[in-house]
Amino acid sequence: MTAPTWDEFRAALARELARLGDGVFVVLNVRARPWHYAQFHQGRSHLDAEVAGEASEDSDEMAETPAGRALIESLGWAPPQPPDAPAWSKSLPWPLTGREYRALVDAVVRVLREVNGVGGPAELEYRAWEGRQGNRPWAVDLPGVGRGESRYGSRSGR
């Protein structure tokens, strides 16, 4: 079996985000560097997304570079609040169109690849759960991306 390409991953993630139920969380992180992550939460009226900036292994502090910040900002991510928080965010009114899901996924993939240095989807793992249903696991079909260690209920995904 060959490792999934970024294009295959983008398509699968867009499909999975489109089927999230109210209260579902999905967290993707780099297996070897779990502080590099993207997470999603489907609310009643919004899909919220976060990506880690240039956090370092030793702390949640940012090891920000001007190029990394410029790229993240150019993709429409709102800066961390408070400023020393590790995650950039987007909140999109739901329901989204297919084009909006694809644009969100593209922005996530670009941060993972170009800011966090992820070589391919096979380096990722995921956790997903239904926050309104007792944190019951939620199945996600992302070829080549395995289910990570259970840490349900962690809002930050860390």
Side-chain angles (χ1 to χ4, degrees):
M1 178 199 274
T2 61
T5 66
W6 281 115
D7 286 341
E8 292 165 334
F9 174 79
R10 279 185 185 95
L13 182 57
R15 279 191 306 272
E16 290 299 312
L17 292 178
R19 70 174 200 85
L20 294 183
D22 181 25
V24 173
F25 290 84
V26 175
V27 179
L28 299 165
N29 65 272
V30 181
R31 246 187 316 279
R33 293 172 282 136
W35 56 91
H36 289 154
Y37 65 91
Q39 72 176 9
F40 309 90
H41 172 252
Q42 179 63 64
R44 288 185 176 99
S45 63
H46 285 79
L47 174 62
D48 296 318
E50 295 182 349
V51 291
E54 297 172 284
S56 68
E57 176 179 10
D58 298 328
S59 72
D60 283 342
E61 292 182 25
M62 303 305 278
E64 191 173 87
T65 64
R69 182 178 184 90
L71 176 66
I72 296 170
E73 287 176 340
S74 77
L75 295 170
W77 294 98
Q81 293 300 323
D84 62 345
W88 293 71
S89 62
K90 288 184 183 232
S91 186
L92 303 169
W94 187 84
L96 279 68
T97 65
R99 173 183 243 154
E100 289 168 322
Y101 281 115
R102 289 188 299 276
L104 174 61
V105 168
D106 186 57
V108 167
V109 167
R110 290 203 52 205
V111 171
L112 289 170
R113 288 179 69 181
E114 299 172 40
V115 176
N116 300 146
V118 180
E123 295 179 26
L124 302 172
E125 64 185 7
Y126 82 90
R127 295 181 314 282
W129 65 94
E130 294 182 74
R132 298 189 197 283
Q133 300 294 321
N135 294 333
R136 182 175 61 202
W138 178 271
V140 175
D141 183 14
L142 297 171
V145 178
R147 184 180 284 275
E149 160 186 335
S150 178
R151 290 180 256 176
Y152 298 116
S154 171
R155 174 70 174 124
S156 70
R158 308 183 98 203

